[in-house]
Amino acid sequence: MRRFLRPGHDPVRERLKRDLFQFNKTVEHGFPHQPSALGYSPFLRLMAIGTRSGAIKLYGAPGVEFMGLHEENNTVMQIHFIPDQCQLVTLLDDNSLHLWSLKQHGGASELREEHRFTLKGPPGSPPSATQITAVLPHSSREVLYLGTESGNIFVVELPSFRVLEDRTITPEAVLQRVPEDNCNRRSCELVEALREHPKNPDHILIGYSRGLIVLWDLQNNKATHHFLGSQQLENLYWQRDGSKFISCHYDGSYTQWPVSNDNRQPEPLENIVPYGPFPCKAISKIYWQTTKNGLPYVVFQGGMPRASYGDRHSISVIHGSQQTAFDFTSRVIDFFIIFSSDPAAEFDDPSALVVLAEEELVVIDLKSAGWPAVHPPYLASLHCSAITCSHHVSNIPLKLWERIISAGSKQNIHYSSMPWPIDGGTNIAPDPPQRDLLLTGHEDGTVRFWDASGVCLHLLYKLSTVRVFLTDADPNDNMNTLGEDEWPPLRKVGTFDPYSDDPRLGIQKIYLCKYSGYLAVAGTAGQVLVMELNDEDAEHVVDHAEADLLQDQEGYRWKGHEKLKTRDGPVRFEAGFQPFVLVQCQPPAVVTSLALHSEWKLVAFGTSHGFGLFDHQQKRLVFVKCTLHPSDQLALEGPLSRVKSLKKSLRQSFRRIRRSRVSSRKRRGGSGNASEVQEANAKFDQDALQEMELAPVQRKIEARSAEDSFTGFVRTLYFADTFLRDSSRHCPSLWAGTNGGTVYAFSLRVPPAERRMDEPVRAEQAKEIQLMHRAPVVGILVLDGRSTPLPEPLEVAHDLSKSPDMQGSHQLLVVSEEQFKVFTLPKVSSKLKLKLTALEGCRVRKVTVANFGSCKTDDYSENDLAVLTNLGDIQIISLPFLKLQIRYPCIRKEDVSGIASCVFTKYGQGFYLISPSEFERFSLSTKWLVEPRCIVDMPEVTSNNHVHNKSGTENAARKS
């Protein structure tokens, strides 16, 4: 009964745990989910993005990132930087204004919310009286001008947000200078735009939605000019010298207006409908940029012909005779132009167009011929095709890293060579201590390689498996090709493409060997591709092999999708990872597990029907093993036929509940004829159960029926060189764990290197373990004589790990969803176990071995298990004694997709999807921590508007 007692408190171990373990959520990688607003500061060269969930994120040079969150969690509607200040104002959809500042605190900069404010009207006034539609931060940095739905323009003092009621610009005051023909109250409803005169800060331009535009003198509190547009107004833009401004309208036109010094009624210089004469969509925003050569850049959003192109999301750029309509695959939220911000400069000279679309950020180089896109160093559209799986590889050797970058650079030749134009702040993070790769598999059959070493998740290389198969789309098709006379001149930009040619192409499992450069990827239709890295383009035949996992068993009929058709003859592949063999599982079900041993040149794969082993050096199937149970008809229906399956699983769940209730009633009382011996046994069992409940982690688990569906589903595969048959000789082995709690062990005979191509690899089943509770097996691990996990293939050969201890006895750790169990090898007798509770619904979802180093000394580190449960908790469990070290809440238990997407690293970090487009990065280690660290200039502006002082703020990827 000693194992049921609570362990004593060990102060030494508690101190050590504090030096080893610490939970931090450090940085969000990827593209913000559901962006709703965009802002830019030419002074700070920082960009701000707001989202529908109330988040605000600031970006500058790579590595310069800040994040804030509004308490209200309301949609951010507008973002405006205060001129020449490290402050910005956000407007939310609840009509509240928030002032944010970048402040120095403890040697690090923070984005802090300073004040919040809601504009209130007089008692009894309708909400529209104070509903803010336009915000203008004045260059004096002292006030905000707030245009409203009612036509009133309120003046609010900064930073106190005090309303200066005596300076309010009312519609009545505006209408005093408007001719009587247009002098009605409705012409001054809803302020669409407020723009400060670029040369005279005492004048502002006011645009009303019905087409009336007024130039207002702030000093004399009167209108100096009015401009009467014939169409509904959308937006305004001043030309640099202040002599003209541009208005854009709902009918797809824009108008140029002169601003004279006399009091004559201004007439428009020109009215242009760029995509007329047929009805067009509204132009919602416009820029007019002057250049040294005299030809302006006109950039506007929308304006497409309604009938044929009304569903397009476009931004057009016109420069002389050159005109392009950039076509985006998702809705455009907002855009801005990066141009010369020097007040003394005579021309704008635009350099880049920055577009925030709903699913990606696109930057266009306006300086280079053809206006190419700029490759973004951050804000990557991770979900350009939906992410289906991920795989992390730590500490990549330099040679492999350089070869991957080289392959990626050949793919990026169509991108601009322009440096990243949003370059505010300075990243002062030290170089990452190691090179890490995050590989993501996607629905369209691609694998993307991301540099996950630091704060910026940067795309290095994209691999496509589509060329191996015959699909409806030709991979040589160029979506951007336009005819010379095509009108409008549309050009697709961006990488977001949510549509897949064939859902069977989806990548489900990835395994990369960083030492040999071998890569295995497996997909939705049972396809397993083995690839090797080639630095040059190549054309070759991909060898095919089939693995019949049903082994001609009668009575089984696959009802799911067909396998993918492959291309005949040689296939041309670009430099990078190139497939040389394809193993097709039959039936073509989703590949559920994958393992690669590059030293033995073997790849193992599993589906819901069984598993197999393939020799990719001899290109020969070694064996297949069917794991189907007679009741596993559900496994043959495929992923697209689940309605009956759901009904069946519900029925089975209710039957289990009923059975458990009946059996518990029998145990509690039974019949009156029960003997005294049975009563005594029942009492003893009850007492034993109560004693067991004293132990905090040793709790009851439920046994599962062998008739549960998907018992043959192969969850995990594992290669090990260990003692399988007797304790005197070790041999290569393959282990497989299934959904029904079964573990299969096969001993392998791999010929020596000199006879490797002449003799076949042989396999023989040596063990079969059935866990009593039949819970799905999610992890298998072999510990050597020092109780250390066996090293990765080729790790010892590269002097990156000690040779495993083959003198002492080995141990087998089997992790099921409900318990951890250690067996001795080769006898496979139970030695130790740690149970998780089934009563609270706790199940293991992910498990990996992580190395934790002490933050106090470099001399100590230990291997532990990092475990993620279905409740979103992360538990760290010691090896080999299976003691719970610490537990952290990480993911909300309702976030099923986040839990399913989680991937751990080898050194105690992890990633999980917080949205389809964002990874949250977290750390469990005190030693390895990746977070932003940067310096942003914080100017102090004196009353005479000269920059008086600069101080640095710090906020990065560091090894603590």
Side-chain angles (χ1 to χ4, degrees):
M1 299 300 292
R2 185 180 302 163
R3 65 192 178 113
F4 297 124
L5 299 177
R6 291 182 183 274
H9 181 75
D10 183 355
V12 176
R13 179 62 188 172
E14 291 301 316
R15 277 198 302 272
L16 182 58
K17 280 159 63 172
R18 287 195 293 271
D19 295 343
L20 293 172
F21 312 123
Q22 183 180 0
F23 179 73
N24 289 288
K25 290 185 179 180
T26 55
V27 67
E28 293 176 3
H29 296 301
F31 184 77
H33 184 50
Q34 296 182 326
S36 56
L38 177 68
Y40 178 68
S41 169
F43 173 68
L44 298 175
R45 298 184 71 85
L46 292 179
M47 172 180 65
I49 295 177
T51 70
R52 289 191 209 170
S53 60
I56 179 170
K57 301 184 178 186
L58 269 61
Y59 300 92
V64 178
E65 296 185 14
F66 300 95
M67 178 178 171
L69 185 65
H70 296 87
E71 290 182 8
E72 294 82 358
N73 288 344
N74 287 38
T75 299
V76 180
M77 301 299 292
Q78 297 183 35
I79 301 174
H80 300 273
F81 281 87
I82 308 300
D84 301 341
Q85 291 287 302
C86 286
Q87 290 182 314
L88 64 153
V89 171
T90 56
L91 172 67
L92 304 191
D93 65 351
D94 64 354
N95 207 41
S96 62
L97 286 166
H98 302 253
L99 179 65
W100 297 81
S101 297
L102 279 171
K103 291 277 182 86
Q104 187 174 4
H105 176 70
S109 64
E110 292 179 352
L111 182 63
R112 285 186 185 173
E113 186 177 355
E114 298 287 326
H115 298 284
R116 66 186 66 187
F117 164 75
T118 301
L119 186 62
K120 295 178 181 177
S125 61
S128 63
T130 54
Q131 184 67 43
I132 300 170
T133 56
V135 179
L136 172 64
H138 195 262
S139 60
S140 65
R141 302 179 291 276
E142 296 173 354
V143 292
L144 290 177
Y145 290 89
L146 307 177
T148 62
E149 279 188 8
S150 63
N152 288 302
I153 299 168
F154 295 92
V155 185
V156 175
E157 193 176 51
L158 286 176
S160 64
F161 279 138
R162 183 171 64 90
V163 179
L164 305 177
E165 296 182 2
D166 58 324
R167 295 173 62 178
T168 300
I169 305 171
T170 63
E172 291 75 21
V174 171
L175 290 172
Q176 289 178 3
R177 287 293 303 274
V178 177
E180 292 185 6
D181 295 346
N182 301 88
C183 192
N184 65 73
R185 182 67 179 76
R186 295 192 64 187
S187 62
C188 284
E189 285 182 357
L190 205 154
V191 179
E192 281 286 359
L194 293 171
R195 297 287 181 264
E196 183 180 335
H197 195 290
K199 299 298 183 183
N200 185 355
D202 290 332
H203 286 179
I204 63 171
L205 202 60
I206 305 170
Y208 296 94
S209 63
R210 290 186 172 271
L212 175 65
I213 304 166
V214 172
L215 185 62
W216 188 262
D217 184 346
L218 298 173
Q219 288 287 76
N220 300 310
N221 205 28
K222 67 174 187 177
T224 61
H225 297 76
H226 67 273
F227 310 85
L228 300 175
S230 59
Q231 292 291 333
Q232 181 177 320
L233 180 71
E234 291 289 322
N235 221 319
L236 299 169
Y237 187 80
W238 277 108
Q239 291 190 21
R240 191 178 187 92
D241 60 2
S243 63
K244 305 182 193 72
F245 70 88
I246 313 296
S247 63
C248 55
H249 302 274
Y250 181 77
D251 67 341
S253 67
Y254 65 85
T255 305
Q256 193 174 24
W257 302 85
V259 180
S260 59
N261 293 326
D262 53 37
N263 293 325
R264 287 181 302 170
Q265 169 64 36
E267 294 293 332
L269 293 176
E270 57 179 347
N271 182 64
I272 297 174
V273 184
Y275 295 112
F278 300 108
C280 296
K281 291 184 70 177
I283 294 179
S284 56
K285 187 173 182 178
I286 192 166
Y287 277 78
W288 182 289
Q289 301 279 285
T290 56
T291 60
K292 293 175 183 175
N293 64 10
L295 293 173
Y297 278 85
V298 182
V299 185
F300 56 88
Q301 177 183 346
M304 283 282 138
R306 283 187 181 277
S308 304
Y309 300 94
D311 59 341
R312 298 299 181 99
H313 313 290
S314 68
I315 289 182
S316 299
V317 180
I318 303 173
H319 179 58
S321 61
Q322 189 178 0
Q323 180 169 347
T324 299
F326 294 104
D327 188 13
F328 299 86
T329 52
S330 59
R331 184 171 62 93
V332 174
I333 304 297
D334 201 354
F335 74 97
F336 62 83
I337 303 284
I338 297 178
F339 57 91
S340 173
S341 58
D342 182 4
E346 186 178 352
F347 303 101
D348 293 307
D349 282 331
S351 57
L353 163 66
V354 181
V355 183
L356 176 67
E358 199 165 36
E359 305 292 353
E360 62 186 329
L361 183 83
V362 178
V363 178
I364 305 295
D365 177 3
L366 297 177
K367 289 286 190 184
S368 302
W371 299 334
V374 181
H375 193 54
Y378 50 74
L379 285 174
S381 183
L382 299 175
H383 64 317
C384 44
S385 172
I387 294 176
T388 48
C389 66
S390 52
H391 174 66
H392 188 275
V393 188
S394 299
N395 209 6
I396 301 292
L398 179 59
K399 187 171 183 180
L400 176 64
W401 186 263
E402 290 174 342
R403 293 178 70 189
I404 291 173
I405 290 176
S406 174
S409 64
K410 293 175 183 176
Q411 296 177 335
N412 295 333
I413 54 174
H414 59 281
Y415 280 107
S416 166
S417 58
M418 164 191 267
W420 185 244
I422 305 165
D423 55 1
T426 307
N427 179 22
I428 60 167
D431 291 335
Q434 61 185 33
R435 294 168 294 274
D436 288 354
L437 272 180
L438 180 65
L439 282 68
T440 54
H442 296 264
E443 191 179 47
D444 62 354
T446 58
V447 178
R448 285 169 168 80
F449 290 64
W450 305 91
D451 177 1
S453 313
V455 173
C456 295
L457 195 68
H458 180 62
L459 181 64
L460 298 179
Y461 165 68
K462 183 179 84 169
L463 161 70
S464 177
T465 62
V466 178
R467 287 183 179 273
V468 180
F469 306 103
L470 287 169
T471 61
D472 294 336
D474 187 342
N476 296 316
D477 285 348
N478 187 351
M479 300 294 289
N480 291 331
T481 303
L482 290 174
E484 291 182 6
D485 300 325
E486 184 160 339
W487 188 260
L490 289 165
R491 186 176 115 202
K492 279 198 175 294
V493 287
T495 58
F496 179 72
D497 182 9
Y499 307 106
S500 171
D501 296 330
D502 193 327
R504 297 174 296 172
L505 290 167
I507 305 297
Q508 297 296 330
K509 296 291 174 183
I510 306 170
Y511 196 104
L512 171 67
C513 175
K514 61 186 179 183
Y515 304 112
S516 64
Y518 283 115
L519 172 70
V521 297
T524 303
Q527 70 271 28
V528 181
L529 286 163
V530 186
M531 313 185 188
E532 58 185 345
L533 193 54
N534 190 344
D535 297 329
E536 302 296 333
D537 293 5
E539 188 172 1
H540 60 259
V541 175
V542 178
D543 290 294
H544 296 176
E546 284 212 351
D548 181 10
L549 296 174
L550 293 182
Q551 297 174 301
D552 300 323
Q553 295 194 32
E554 296 181 0
Y556 292 106
R557 187 169 62 87
W558 172 246
K559 303 174 188 175
H561 49 240
E562 295 180 354
K563 68 176 184 179
L564 285 159
K565 294 178 181 177
T566 55
R567 293 181 183 273
D568 297 326
V571 182
R572 183 158 190 83
F573 298 100
E574 57 188 15
F577 286 94
Q578 299 172 352
F580 62 89
V581 67
L582 164 67
V583 184
Q584 179 61 57
C585 298
Q586 288 288 11
V590 174
V591 177
T592 57
S593 53
L594 185 68
L596 177 72
H597 201 294
S598 48
E599 189 173 354
W600 301 337
K601 305 291 193 297
L602 299 175
V603 61
F605 48 88
T607 72
S608 53
H609 307 120
F611 60 96
L613 182 66
F614 186 81
D615 178 352
H616 66 76
Q617 184 165 0
Q618 291 189 8
K619 297 174 183 174
R620 170 184 165 273
L621 189 65
V622 179
F623 78 89
V624 291
K625 170 72 176 177
C626 181
T627 56
L628 275 180
H629 188 273
S631 66
D632 271 347
Q633 289 299 324
L634 184 58
L636 293 162
E637 293 185 3
L640 307 176
S641 173
R642 292 292 164 82
V643 177
K644 291 181 181 178
S645 311
L646 178 61
K647 291 180 180 177
K648 183 178 177 184
S649 62
L650 286 171
R651 273 198 306 272
Q652 289 174 339
S653 300
F654 283 121
R655 284 172 184 165
R656 273 202 302 275
I657 293 170
R658 231 182 351 255
R659 278 201 300 269
S660 64
R661 285 176 177 170
V662 170
S663 60
S664 63
R665 277 201 296 270
K666 287 179 180 177
R667 282 198 301 272
R668 281 200 298 269
S671 65
N673 299 328
S675 66
E676 293 181 3
V677 176
Q678 287 174 322
E679 290 179 10
N681 286 341
K683 187 175 186 306
F684 178 79
D685 290 343
Q686 190 69 23
D687 293 342
L689 187 61
Q690 287 176 354
E691 286 186 16
M692 288 175 66
E693 287 171 352
L694 291 174
V697 292
Q698 298 280 328
R699 305 179 196 174
K700 181 182 174 185
I701 61 174
E702 284 184 352
R704 304 187 186 203
S705 166
E707 297 177 0
D708 283 0
S709 296
F710 278 120
T711 55
F713 186 116
V714 179
R715 293 285 291 267
T716 184
L717 292 162
Y718 178 70
F719 285 107
D721 187 356
T722 188
F723 300 93
L724 193 56
R725 295 195 175 278
D726 56 60
S727 56
S728 59
R729 288 179 300 172
H730 57 89
C731 67
S733 63
L734 172 65
W735 301 76
T738 72
N739 223 37
T742 307
V743 177
Y744 299 95
F746 280 74
S747 64
L748 308 176
R749 184 188 172 279
V750 181
E754 61 272 12
R755 300 196 302 276
R756 183 64 178 81
M757 289 300 294
D758 303 325
E759 299 179 13
V761 175
R762 301 191 183 278
E764 183 180 356
Q765 185 168 338
K767 308 283 184 189
E768 182 175 334
I769 307 167
Q770 179 61 60
L771 301 179
M772 295 299 291
H773 58 293
R774 299 183 184 276
V777 177
V778 295
I780 298 173
L781 185 67
V782 172
L783 307 176
D784 68 6
R786 293 188 293 263
S787 297
T788 302
L790 296 182
E792 295 178 20
L794 297 174
E795 192 172 10
V796 175
H798 284 74
D799 296 326
L800 295 171
S801 175
K802 293 180 181 177
S803 297
D805 184 351
M806 299 309 232
Q807 303 303 317
S809 59
H810 283 198
Q811 301 172 79
L812 170 69
L813 171 63
V814 177
V815 181
S816 75
E817 282 191 354
E818 296 175 358
Q819 72 176 14
F820 301 79
K821 198 164 188 177
V822 176
F823 299 88
T824 59
L825 287 176
K827 289 186 177 180
V828 194
S829 57
S830 178
K831 180 179 180 183
L832 185 66
K833 64 183 173 183
L834 170 66
K835 298 178 184 176
L836 295 178
T837 174
L839 302 179
E840 294 179 4
C842 184
R843 299 278 190 272
V844 175
R845 286 290 176 258
K846 304 277 182 176
V847 62
T848 195
V849 177
N851 183 268
F852 293 92
S854 170
C855 62
K856 297 288 182 64
T857 174
D858 292 334
D859 298 333
Y860 182 81
S861 67
E862 65 181 42
N863 292 306
D864 297 289
L865 290 177
V867 179
L868 175 70
T869 72
N870 64 329
L871 302 180
D873 293 337
I874 291 179
Q875 303 179 15
I876 298 175
I877 296 171
S878 66
L879 285 174
F881 300 112
L882 302 183
K883 299 290 185 185
L884 178 63
Q885 300 300 298
I886 202 157
R887 184 197 309 256
Y888 299 112
C890 180
I891 310 173
R892 291 181 303 108
K893 65 180 179 182
E894 298 84 10
D895 187 4
V896 178
S897 60
I899 293 171
S901 66
C902 182
V903 57
F904 289 108
T905 78
K906 193 177 178 181
Y907 294 99
Q909 296 185 62
F911 303 82
Y912 69 93
L913 288 172
I914 53 175
S915 73
S917 59
E918 291 172 290
F919 273 113
E920 175 83 69
R921 186 176 192 141
F922 62 87
S923 175
L924 306 170
S925 169
T926 57
K927 190 171 184 179
W928 301 99
L929 193 65
V930 173
E931 61 182 359
R933 183 180 183 82
C934 53
I935 290 179
V936 176
D937 288 331
M938 301 283 283
E940 295 179 6
V941 182
T942 59
S943 57
N944 59 3
N945 290 348
H946 287 94
V947 176
H948 173 67
N949 183 34
K950 290 186 179 181
S951 63
T953 66
E954 300 180 353
N955 184 9
R958 77 173 188 268
K959 180 181 173 185
S960 298

